[in-house]
Amino acid sequence: MPAPAGVPATTHARQPRSAAGRRRSHSPPAAAAQAGQEANLQVRYLQYRGGEGMLAWALHRISGVAVWAFILLHVLDIWLVGANPGLYDEVLALYASPIGRVGETLVGAGLLYHALNGLRIIVMDFWPSTTVWHKQLWYACWVVFFVVGIPGAYVILSPIWTGAHG
Amino acid sequence: MSTITRSGRGRPAGGGWELAVWYLIRLSGLGLFVLALAHYSITHFVFDVTVQEAEWIVDERWGSLLWRTVDWLMLTLVIFHSFMGVRTVVGDYTRGGVRTALTMGLYALALVLFAMGTMVVATLPFPVK
């Protein structure tokens, strides 16, 4: 059987993936076959699932870690209300500044996405038949996200241009 | 048998502690949907950030036992939910000793933050009327 272009003409090249993957040979033809196979696997990893389902999952994870990081800061600053009220008021001034307000808007966006998509996950976990609508549910999350989020962001950010910020 | 979902962690098959965590993450998430979004709305839409100085928190925000209880409940849920969530992320990207060390570090940090939050909400003096 002639080997396809780019694949070394060895018997190894046509073997099943699992068999070749287990081999740890460093002889040139086998190594080349392995490299080709790794490139092939890499393409398959890049194509891993994809689409709305994967984006929903990735954004849920990113927003979750971001909100967690803010909570570390937030418990610390509220602790200062008792431990060092003067320092707390200085931190509050940072929150009220224009940069602070942009940061709070981003935290709010992360929180809102995580909350809405979290509800979507709960719905699909406890009523599995709704999973066929997972894309539509995700689009519904985005509708609520923007309907609630745009006016919300306006309220938080508008003191920046009206000059009413701290 | 485990149920595969497209966005969440699959329901653990074994039962016991891990299954309890899976349910509690969802239960606390439902609680936080109300508590955390209400908290964000109160601190950003009902009141502007500028007024919320330490004195105002003593006199207004935490002037009643009810609000302190609500906020402490939120602290409890958020510490559990966020730290167990990050534990899932750590578990996905690490293994062996690194995973164990990071998970133990997370638990320790969670306990410290829970203690700090509980301390301030429980010991901050009530306003003198």
Side-chain angles (χ1 to χ4, degrees):
Chain A
M1 196 190 297
V7 176
T10 67
T11 50
H12 299 145
R14 305 291 292 178
Q15 279 179 350
R17 277 199 184 87
S18 55
R22 272 199 297 275
R23 197 190 325 276
R24 291 269 186 261
S25 166
H26 294 287
S27 67
Q34 211 167 21
Q37 190 188 35
E38 270 162 23
N40 185 23
L41 278 176
Q42 205 171 23
V43 168
R44 294 203 304 155
Y45 277 127
L46 287 171
Q47 291 171 343
Y48 169 72
R49 290 191 187 175
E52 290 87 342
M54 192 185 80
L55 260 180
W57 170 86
L59 289 174
H60 197 75
R61 183 156 280 205
I62 292 164
S63 60
V65 172
V67 172
W68 168 78
F70 173 72
I71 284 161
L72 301 184
L73 175 72
H74 190 38
V75 173
L76 202 65
D77 68 56
I78 292 301
W79 179 75
L80 287 175
V81 173
N84 189 340
L87 184 57
Y88 167 79
D89 286 348
E90 284 180 38
V91 176
L92 186 75
L94 290 178
Y95 281 130
S97 72
I99 292 170
R101 284 171 192 274
V102 172
E104 281 150 41
T105 307
L106 291 174
V107 167
L111 185 69
L112 187 58
Y113 174 80
H114 199 85
L116 293 169
N117 190 57
L119 217 52
R120 168 180 168 271
I121 293 172
I122 291 172
V123 166
M124 295 192 301
D125 276 345
F126 290 98
W127 294 275
S129 61
T130 59
T131 308
V132 294
W133 301 107
H134 79 100
K135 288 182 192 177
Q136 286 82 353
L137 287 168
W138 194 56
Y139 297 145
C141 286
W142 282 114
V143 170
V144 178
F145 179 88
F146 285 112
V147 166
V148 174
I150 289 174
Y154 178 81
V155 171
I156 296 170
L157 295 174
S158 59
I160 295 176
W161 54 84
T162 60
H165 62 79
Chain B
M1 223 185 97
S2 73
T3 308
I4 306 295
T5 58
R6 287 180 193 256
S7 289
R9 177 190 178 200
R11 190 167 169 274
W17 168 242
E18 288 304 323
L19 186 63
V21 169
W22 187 89
Y23 275 108
L24 286 172
I25 280 272
R26 280 146 186 80
L27 193 65
S28 57
L30 221 48
L32 287 167
F33 187 92
V34 177
L35 288 173
L37 289 180
H39 173 74
Y40 190 92
S41 301
I42 291 166
T43 51
H44 295 279
F45 305 138
V46 178
F47 302 102
D48 191 70
V49 195
T50 43
V51 305
Q52 300 174 45
E53 296 189 324
E55 202 185 331
W56 181 86
I57 290 178
V58 174
D59 290 343
E60 304 292 331
R61 247 333 276 297
W62 282 355
S64 78
L65 191 60
L66 177 70
W67 276 112
R68 290 193 192 217
T69 310
V70 168
D71 280 352
W72 184 77
L73 181 65
M74 181 171 60
L75 172 79
T76 308
L77 293 184
V78 84
I79 294 287
F80 175 82
H81 186 94
S82 65
F83 276 86
M84 291 317 255
V86 173
R87 185 198 71 137
T88 301
V89 176
V90 164
D92 277 355
Y93 301 122
T94 61
R95 52 186 176 170
V98 177
R99 179 192 286 180
T100 308
L102 287 176
T103 305
M104 291 304 136
L106 279 176
Y107 289 160
L109 188 58
L111 283 177
V112 169
L113 284 184
F114 182 65
M116 288 171 79
T118 303
M119 178 183 158
V120 65
V121 82
T123 64
L124 200 69
F126 276 102
V128 185
K129 294 256 162 93

